[in-house]
Amino acid sequence: MDDNAPVLVIVDAANVVGSVPDGWWRDRRGAAERLRDRLAADGVPGRGGPVEIVLVVEGAARGVEPVPGVRVESAPGSGDDHMVELAARACGDRPVLVVTADRELRRRVTELGAEVAGPRTVRPV
């Protein structure tokens, strides 16, 4: 593993956006864009060193554009499966952090060697 490589931070957009009942369900794409913009501005609070942020969107949020500092990937099918695929490709080569509260997704990525953190890591309430 390259300890000097930036941490790959994979953010479960649907899970993080859904963690705060602020009306996100009325405009899922807009909510994902606001999360993207917050990540671009704030990064991952408390995370020292370089990070590469990947925001994974699905469903009605597909098509959200990337911005400098945040790569956005529209999951072709299941967002969880796409995040597991991203983690599987990176684990072993570099540190990986998956931001989600989804228990099954957390289990799947930790088996690959990824760290996990909850939505408040990137979206304080």
Side-chain angles (χ1 to χ4, degrees):
M1 179 180 306
D2 182 355
D3 291 329
N4 294 320
V7 175
L8 176 62
V9 179
I10 303 167
V11 179
D12 181 349
N15 191 268
V16 171
V17 164
S19 69
V20 177
D22 61 1
W24 59 264
W25 52 89
R26 290 189 292 270
D27 180 11
R28 294 169 194 260
R29 186 179 176 134
E33 289 170 341
R34 288 188 297 279
L35 174 58
R36 175 206 58 200
D37 294 346
R38 186 176 316 112
L39 290 167
D42 301 340
V44 182
R47 217 10 112 158
V51 297
E52 177 187 351
I53 301 172
V54 178
L55 181 66
V56 176
V57 295
E58 61 186 322
R62 281 190 186 101
V64 168
E65 295 294 321
V67 295
V70 180
R71 186 171 93 220
V72 180
E73 293 208 9
S74 293
S78 158
D80 289 3
D81 290 347
H82 191 67
M83 287 179 274
V84 169
E85 192 177 296
L86 290 171
R89 282 193 298 229
C91 282
D93 294 335
R94 64 196 284 195
V96 176
L97 172 67
V98 178
V99 179
T100 186
D102 182 297
R103 287 184 191 169
E104 178 62 13
L105 177 57
R106 291 169 74 101
R107 182 195 63 75
R108 291 172 68 191
V109 297
T110 55
E111 286 177 354
L112 297 169
E115 269 186 83
V116 293
R120 288 186 183 155
T121 303
V122 296
R123 185 174 183 171
V125 253

